[in-house]
Amino acid sequence: MPEHEVMWIGRRPAGLPPEENPAATEDFAGALVDACSDCGVDVEDYVAAAGPYGSWLVRFRRAGRLERLVWNGREGRLVHEQATPGIDWTELGAEVPTARDLTAFIDSLARLLRA
């Protein structure tokens, strides 16, 4: 029987170890929530995406308005947004962190929340 190359699309085969997503750990979530608290924000929700990009979302209210911080791991952008009366969000600011680690995320979110 001749050999053929095999290519997989989508999920990794079960034999390969899954990639670690630090955003899905309690330590990571706790550090982000603490950093938000240091900026005067009480976090309502923290959600980490299950995908390979490490995306996450922090939702909170400030001055009676619903706001959120969204890390889009695929695009490499941290965005601060405010809810509109409808279903849309208005961008209040955005940053590209210097690295994809907790320290850089905390520095970026602090700048965005204090702007």
Side-chain angles (χ1 to χ4, degrees):
M1 175 185 254
E3 290 186 25
H4 298 281
E5 283 189 21
V6 177
M7 180 177 80
W8 54 272
I9 299 173
R11 292 186 330 175
R12 291 176 161 273
L16 295 176
E19 292 182 28
E20 295 212 14
N21 179 359
T25 66
E26 287 186 36
D27 291 340
F28 189 96
L32 286 180
V33 169
D34 290 346
C36 288
S37 294
D38 291 345
C39 294
V41 172
D42 292 322
V43 173
E44 290 183 3
D45 296 314
Y46 172 82
V47 179
Y53 298 106
S55 298
W56 48 266
L57 162 86
V58 175
R59 205 168 50 131
F60 54 93
R61 289 195 181 274
R62 187 160 58 167
R65 299 176 312 225
L66 181 60
E67 297 181 18
R68 67 185 183 183
L69 290 166
V70 180
W71 165 248
N72 183 327
R74 181 181 226 170
E75 293 179 9
R77 284 182 79 218
L78 181 60
V79 181
H80 179 204
E81 298 175 319
Q82 178 182 330
T84 66
I87 61 170
D88 295 321
W89 292 84
T90 301
E91 186 175 303
L92 300 176
E95 280 211 9
V96 176
T98 56
R100 290 179 178 231
D101 62 21
L102 186 57
T103 302
F105 290 139
I106 289 172
D107 290 345
S108 289
L109 79 81
R111 281 191 294 275
L112 288 170
L113 292 177
R114 291 184 177 135

